[in-house]
Each structure stands twice: as structure tokens, then as C-alpha cells.
DNA sequence: ACGAGCACCTGTGTGC
DNA sequence: TGCACACAGGTGCTCG
């Protein structure tokens, strides 16, 4: 579900609610979501520690603890992370952290595909997807030159490349479709077929789309909610995603939906070449 | 390098 | 109303 703008919004809305808080107890309602170490060890590592810093890399959230341990959460498709003020039960609560201010940090997840980890900072390499994560949009490492280099010699489809977290960290299906739409590039184009100016335009579009996503607090179609349980509003500002058969905002042509790189893909057949 | 297929899971919307 | 089926914002694996 959540891509970089959603995870960043969660981080921002959660930050002041969890930073400085002590975790008193961890309720393991669905232990198998913990991938490292064992669920029991995870529980022991996290209990009785103070959250000192909440960080994000790509789609990963990192809770730095005063013990030197980092708890890492990846929400995959339907994970949600929020602080509960009242003690109401969430139907999909899976891991519950009781905090020292009588509130609860809840990890909820309907499809249960999300993953949690806990380990010393020096061992974060154990999380392969985090270790190999490429530079993020809007970061100093994500330069036009870097992007151009990554396109070179890549015969695969541009959409597949943009979804590859090793190339760019944080893009997902929504923002890839939106980036390609904004740049006027067809999702099935071979990555290395982009002309210089097309690559430059796509580079800019990626940053623009991600920035806008964060500005509007993420895209809430169904499951996504921020750290306070609120909805984002970026779904009202999309060009193509979720707009099948609706008129393109530029030319009026109905938005098409097909499958590219194994994912549902929205695009304007007229504007994107 | 690349793509296809599948696996992990469950909920929801759609068409009959 | 009930049922079968498609589809979902992600990632990681195998196989050719």
C-alpha cells in the first residue's frame, strides 16, 4: 500500500507522539510478522526501551531505541501504524506497543504481509531490501546524472525500472504511473530508449510527483491512513492512477488501464508515447 | 539482464 | 442473497 509519500507522512504524524516515549509492553497478536530475530527475542529487545528517533528510508520506518537497537517496520500492502488515544480495538491490530503515556502504538495489517525487525544498527544489513535500497527522490544522491546512468543499457521497460527499489528507493505503483504520465512517457518504453530530454523530464516528474504526494499527506484509496488515523488527499490530485476510462486532464482521451511489469498500469494513450 | 509465474495473505468489489 | 472470481498501494524467489 504505502509508498514513500505515505510512509513519510506516517513518520511525520507519528514523530512527536512516539519520540521520547518508553515502550512498556509489546502485544504479539500475530508473531509471524516478525522476521528477525525470533518473535520472542524481538519482544525482549524492544520492551523497556525509549524511542529516541523515528527515521525513514524508502518505504521502511526505523525506530531508533536508546538501547542501540533499531526496530524496522515495512508496511507492504496494507500495513498501518498509528497511535491510539482511546483504547478501542482495531479489527486488524497485529502488534501493539504500550507506551508510558498510556497510549498505544498499533501495527495493524489486514493482509498480514507486513514485516518487522529489531537489531543493532550495525546489523541493519540483514534486511536485504533496506541494504540495497537506491537513492530516494528529492535526496541529494538522486541526481539527473545518476538517473541517466541507471537508464543506460537497460533493455527492460521503464516502468519496471522505476519500480526497482535498488534503482530508486521509495517509488511504487501509484507514483510510477503518475511520474510517467507527467513526463508523457509510455510505461512500456525500453528504459534505454529515452532521449536525453525525456530522461530529464522524467527525472523532474518523479521529484514533482513525490513532493506533491507528501504535500497532500499521501494517497488514501482504501487502507492507507497516517499516524493519527487520518486520510491523505493526494487521491484528488492524480493524473492517471485510478482514473480508468475517465478523460485525461490534458487531452480528454479516456485513461487506459493495462498490465505492465506485472502491475495494473494507468496511462493516457494519447499523451504518453 | 530480464520477464513470467508464483508465493506470501486477506478483504472487497463486481458480475452472474 | 450467494457465490466465484478478479484485484489490491510490495517484495522476493525460482526458472527459463
Amino acid at each position: 500500500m504505502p509508498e514513500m509519500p505515505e510512509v513519510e507522512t506516517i513518520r511525520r504524524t507519528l514523530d512527536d507522539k512516539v519520540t521520547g516515549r518508553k515502550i512498556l509492553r509489546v502485544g504479539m497478536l500475530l508473531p509471524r510478522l516478525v522476521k528477525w530475530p525470533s518473535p520472542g527475542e524481538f519482544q525482549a529487545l524492544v520492551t523497556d526501551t525509549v524511542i529516541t528517533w523515528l527515521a525513514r528510508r524508502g518505504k521502511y520506518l526505523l525506530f531508533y531505541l536508546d538501547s542501540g537497537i533499531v526496530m524496522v517496520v515495512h508496511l507492504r500492502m496494507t500495513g498501518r501504524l498509528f497511535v491510539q488515544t482511546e483504547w478501542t480495538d482495531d479489527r486488524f491490530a497485529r502488534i501493539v506497543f504500550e507506551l508510558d503515556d498510556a497510549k498505544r502504538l498499533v501495527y495493524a495489517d489486514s493482509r498480514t504481509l507486513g514485516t518487522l525487525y529489531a537489531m543493532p544498527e550495525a546489523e541493519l544489513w540483514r534486511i536485504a531490501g533496506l541494504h540495497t535500497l537506491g537513492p530516494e527522490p528529492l535526496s541529494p544522491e538522486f541526481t539527473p546524472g545518476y538517473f541517466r546512468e541507471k537508464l543506460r543499457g537497460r533493455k527492460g521497460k521503464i516502468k519496471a525500472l522505476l519500480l526497482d527499489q535498488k534503482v530508486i528507493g521509495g517509488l511504487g505503483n501509484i507514483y510510477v504511473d503518475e511520474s510517467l504520465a507527467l513526463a508523457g512517457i509510455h510505461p512500456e518504453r525500453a528504459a534505454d530508449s529515452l532521449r536525453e530530454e525525456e530522461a530529464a523530464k522524467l527525472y523532474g516528474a518523479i521529484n514533482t510527483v513525490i513532493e506533491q504526494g507528501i504535500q497532500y499527506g499521501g494517497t488514501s484509496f482504501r487502507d492507507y491512513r497516517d499516524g493519527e488515523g487520518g486520510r491523505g488527499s493526494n487521491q484528488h490530485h492524480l493524473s492517471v492512477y485510478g482514473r480508468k476510462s475517465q478523460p485525461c486532464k490534458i487531452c480528454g482521451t479516456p485513461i487506459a488501464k493495462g498490465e505492465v511489469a506485472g502491475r495494473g498500469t494507468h496511462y493516457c494513450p494519447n499523451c504518453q508515447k
Side-chain angles (χ1 to χ4, degrees):
Chain A
M1 125 194 159
E3 308 176 33
M4 180 181 153
E6 287 73 38
V7 181
E8 175 60 18
T9 301
I10 291 171
R11 193 199 66 76
R12 291 182 184 186
T13 50
L14 227 43
D15 193 14
D16 64 337
K17 294 179 171 54
V18 300
T19 301
R21 297 274 64 80
K22 186 176 200 173
I23 297 169
L24 300 181
R25 240 194 310 275
V26 183
M28 309 282 284
L29 281 58
L30 190 59
R32 67 171 167 78
L33 298 188
V34 173
K35 303 305 173 185
W36 186 273
S38 69
E41 289 171 294
F42 173 91
Q43 191 176 32
L45 281 177
V46 169
T47 300
D48 266 326
T49 62
V50 174
I51 300 167
T52 56
W53 182 36
L54 180 54
R56 179 194 56 76
R57 284 171 64 191
K59 302 172 193 173
Y60 291 86
L61 276 170
L62 291 81
F63 293 79
Y64 282 79
L65 308 175
D66 66 344
S67 56
I69 296 294
V70 185
M71 178 175 79
V72 181
V73 180
H74 193 301
L75 289 69
R76 295 290 179 108
M77 295 289 268
T78 51
R80 287 178 289 132
L81 204 47
F82 56 94
V83 167
Q84 255 184 352
T85 312
E86 302 151 38
W87 289 64
T88 52
D89 282 329
D90 188 290
R91 182 182 170 201
F92 300 115
R94 308 301 187 191
I95 310 281
V96 178
F97 304 87
E98 294 181 22
L99 306 178
D100 64 354
D101 60 356
K103 293 177 183 173
R104 299 194 292 180
L105 171 65
V106 178
Y107 178 76
D109 193 340
S110 63
R111 286 177 71 182
T112 71
L113 294 171
T115 51
L116 293 87
Y117 314 78
M119 61 197 71
E121 184 174 15
E123 289 181 30
L124 286 176
W125 55 262
R126 292 185 186 280
I127 307 171
L130 179 59
H131 189 61
T132 60
L133 196 66
E136 308 181 351
L138 306 177
S139 75
E141 296 76 31
F142 184 58
T143 63
Y146 170 85
F147 186 54
R148 218 182 308 119
E149 276 303 304
K150 286 296 171 183
L151 296 180
R152 188 185 297 181
R154 297 290 291 249
K155 306 292 183 194
K157 292 170 184 172
I158 185 63
K159 169 150 183 171
L161 181 124
L162 296 183
L163 284 171
D164 186 345
Q165 302 298 297
K166 295 189 282 300
V167 177
I168 304 172
L171 290 183
N173 208 29
I174 296 177
Y175 295 96
V176 164
D177 279 5
E178 291 296 307
S179 299
L180 290 167
L182 186 55
I185 295 168
H186 194 284
E188 296 193 280
R189 286 274 300 280
D192 72 351
S193 76
L194 268 61
R195 297 188 302 276
E196 186 83 7
E197 65 269 26
E198 288 179 316
K201 197 168 181 185
L202 181 53
Y203 170 83
I206 291 166
N207 284 326
T208 298
V209 154
I210 291 293
E211 193 168 36
Q212 182 198 290
I214 295 172
Q215 183 193 327
Y216 287 114
T219 305
S220 290
F221 270 115
R222 11 177 357 112
D223 303 288
Y224 163 69
R225 297 292 183 273
D226 66 26
E228 298 166 329
R231 299 170 68 94
S233 62
N234 196 49
Q235 62 276 18
H236 304 305
H237 303 274
L238 299 175
S239 302
V240 291
Y241 191 90
R243 299 193 64 246
K244 180 185 174 186
S245 304
Q246 295 174 42
C248 169
K249 292 175 178 177
I250 307 291
C251 74
T253 303
I255 297 302
K257 185 181 178 195
E259 188 181 302
V260 180
R263 311 293 301 276
T265 299
H266 305 74
Y267 61 99
C268 172
N270 182 50
C271 295
Q272 294 177 249
K273 304 291 184 191

